[in-house]
Amino acid sequence: MDSIVLRGLRVVGTHGVLAEEQTRPQPFEVDLVLMIDLASAASSDDLDDTVDYGEVTGVVAGVVEGEHFSLLERLAGRIVEVVLGLDERIATVDVTVTKLRPPVPIDLSSAAVRLVRSR
């Protein structure tokens, strides 16, 4: 299966268990791998034969910015739901959601959750 790989989508959102995380926006990074048959697009050079990754990133950014979850696991799950709903040709979504500055009492540069879901 072919794939579209989208790395390093940085979006500010309010997700977390702590009260401050639910009110203070913080940076998140999203990486996506969309498994899809790209044979038609590889020969046609036509956007209609593939998934528009501009649309994908816009929808994902909207989830991170506009919705609020306590857990990274739920945020990642919501992203998978939305992306699979965009185009029935997407067979699998592999998403990693990274909280770039997790509020823990030790030096930790990031915390991430990765989900892989197929139709």
Side-chain angles (χ1 to χ4, degrees):
M1 181 74 50
D2 306 313
S3 59
I4 294 173
V5 180
L6 307 170
R7 300 266 185 239
L9 175 62
R10 291 199 174 199
V11 186
V12 174
T14 51
H15 307 281
V17 173
L18 301 176
E20 70 182 59
E21 293 178 294
Q22 295 173 11
T23 58
R24 181 182 50 86
Q26 56 189 313
F28 292 85
E29 185 171 274
V30 180
D31 297 319
L32 293 155
V33 178
L34 312 179
M35 302 302 292
I36 179 174
D37 183 351
L38 297 173
S40 293
S43 62
S44 73
D45 197 29
D46 187 341
L47 183 59
D48 290 336
D49 289 332
T50 189
V51 172
D52 181 347
Y53 57 81
E55 179 183 9
V56 173
T57 56
V59 168
V60 170
V63 169
V64 177
E65 292 171 339
E67 298 185 28
H68 307 283
F69 302 105
S70 295
L71 301 178
L72 287 178
E73 291 85 347
R74 179 61 192 125
L75 175 57
R78 178 68 178 133
I79 290 169
V80 167
E81 293 167 6
V82 170
V83 172
L84 282 175
L86 284 176
D87 193 312
E88 65 185 28
R89 296 174 294 181
I90 300 170
T92 301
V93 176
D94 178 340
V95 62
T96 302
V97 177
T98 304
K99 185 178 285 193
L100 296 173
R101 292 193 300 259
V104 296
I106 58 174
D107 187 14
L108 181 65
S109 64
S110 66
V113 168
R114 178 179 176 219
L115 297 181
V116 180
R117 298 290 184 269
S118 298
R119 292 191 184 280

